[in-house]
Structure formats: C-alpha cells, structure tokens
Amino acid sequence: MASSPSDCIFCKIVQRQIPASTIFDDDSVIAFLDVSPLASGHLLVIPKVHANQLIDLPETVASDIGRVLPQLGRALLMVSGADGFNVLQNNGEVAGQVVGHVHFHLIPRFKDDGLGYRWNAGAYEDGQMNDVCDLFKQALAS
Ligand code: 5GP
Ligand code: ZN
C-alpha cells in the first residue's frame, strides 16, 4: 500500500496528473467517482494533502472533510436515487484499505442490493465494558 505522495495514485488525481470524474473541489477536499463502483454514484472523498490513514489527518483537514460530507451525501441521494448510503472509511490493509491516501467511500444503497458486512456481533463479559471504557478514557487523556 503506497503511503508516500510521490507514488500515491490519489495525489496524482489531486494534481491532475491522472484523470478522475471529479464532482467536488474546494481548497482542501475533492470528491470523485470511484472507478470500480459498488453502485453507480459511489464516491470517494479525499483530502488534497497526503495522509495515509484517518489517524494521520490534521484536525483542520478532518474538519474540512466532515463539513462537506452532508452536502455530498444529499447530492449522492439525488443523483443515484438511492434509498440510503453508507460512509465507509478503511484504515490499514486488515480493514480493507488498498490505497494509502485516506479516503471516505460514499456508497449508494438500495433495498435488497446484496451489499453488506458480516456483522458478527459479540457480547461483553460482566464488568468488561467498564474496563474497556476506562482504557479508552486513559488513552484519550494521554
Ligand atoms: P480502499 O479499498 O483503499 O478503501 O478503496 C480504494 C478505492 O479506490 C477502490 O474502491 C478503488 O476502486 C478506487 N480506486 C483505485 N484507483 C482508482 C483510480 O485511479 N481512480 C478512481 N476514480 N478510483 C480508484
Ligand atoms: Zn496521496
């Protein structure tokens, strides 16, 4: 997975070195059609600055992306006629990330479209939720 700007396909799209069907472009964010869509209108929303994963994004850039997601979602619903959509954001190969430039998938969803995760929900042992909750508080305070 490429994670340096020089060999990053999405940086090349930002710099217009390779073409993309760009539907949105502002100072720090672009959105374009995924070339291999899960449904027509499947969008990728990316920061113009190179960052590998969500955890690498400067807060201002994360804010810039978050600010435009509702607008892009509304446009996606209008254009695709979808009944809903998923925002999917993969971090790391184990999570399905192939392109090493942080990106948000906006995926149109239709009734019975067959897409979906195996959502194998588990359960916590007695008291385990409190322990995990404490670990998060410690991590966030560090
Ligand atoms: P990931 O698996 O990393 O979350 O998703 C990467 C996405 O980028 C894939 O859905 C793939 O189809 C898309 N993609 C990869 N290369 C290109 C490209 O050159 N142009 C466009 N428009 N999409 C791309
Ligand atoms: Zn990049």
Side-chain angles (χ1 to χ4, degrees):
M1 183 187 357
S3 64
S4 76
S6 56
D7 57 1
C8 172
I9 194 147
F10 286 179
C11 282
K12 289 183 170 58
I13 286 176
V14 169
Q15 290 151 12
R16 299 177 189 271
Q17 291 172 4
I18 64 170
S21 300
T22 302
I23 63 104
F24 178 89
D25 186 340
D26 72 9
D27 287 345
S28 65
V29 180
I30 66 169
F32 51 94
L33 297 180
D34 192 308
V35 74
S36 303
L38 294 178
S40 177
H42 178 165
L43 294 177
L44 296 172
V45 185
I46 70 168
K48 286 185 171 177
V49 65
H50 180 83
N52 184 11
Q53 299 187 7
L54 184 64
I55 57 174
D56 304 314
L57 264 191
E59 286 183 7
T60 52
V61 181
S63 167
D64 290 339
I65 292 174
R67 181 170 37 78
V68 299
L69 285 179
Q71 178 189 2
L72 295 174
R74 286 191 293 271
L76 176 145
L77 291 175
M78 287 172 62
V79 168
S80 66
D83 305 314
F85 67 100
N86 287 114
V87 178
L88 178 66
Q89 205 279 307
N90 300 325
N91 295 280
E93 285 184 37
V94 72
Q97 184 178 11
V98 173
V99 176
H101 180 129
V102 61
H103 51 278
F104 290 73
H105 296 262
L106 270 60
I107 305 166
R109 297 301 305 271
F110 299 88
K111 192 173 186 317
D112 300 325
D113 61 14
L115 292 178
Y117 269 94
R118 286 189 305 278
W119 197 282
N120 298 331
Y124 288 106
E125 306 287 333
D126 277 355
Q128 195 184 3
M129 282 182 91
N130 284 339
D131 294 343
V132 174
C133 192
D134 287 342
L135 289 173
F136 269 103
K137 288 174 181 169
Q138 288 166 27
L140 288 166
S142 64

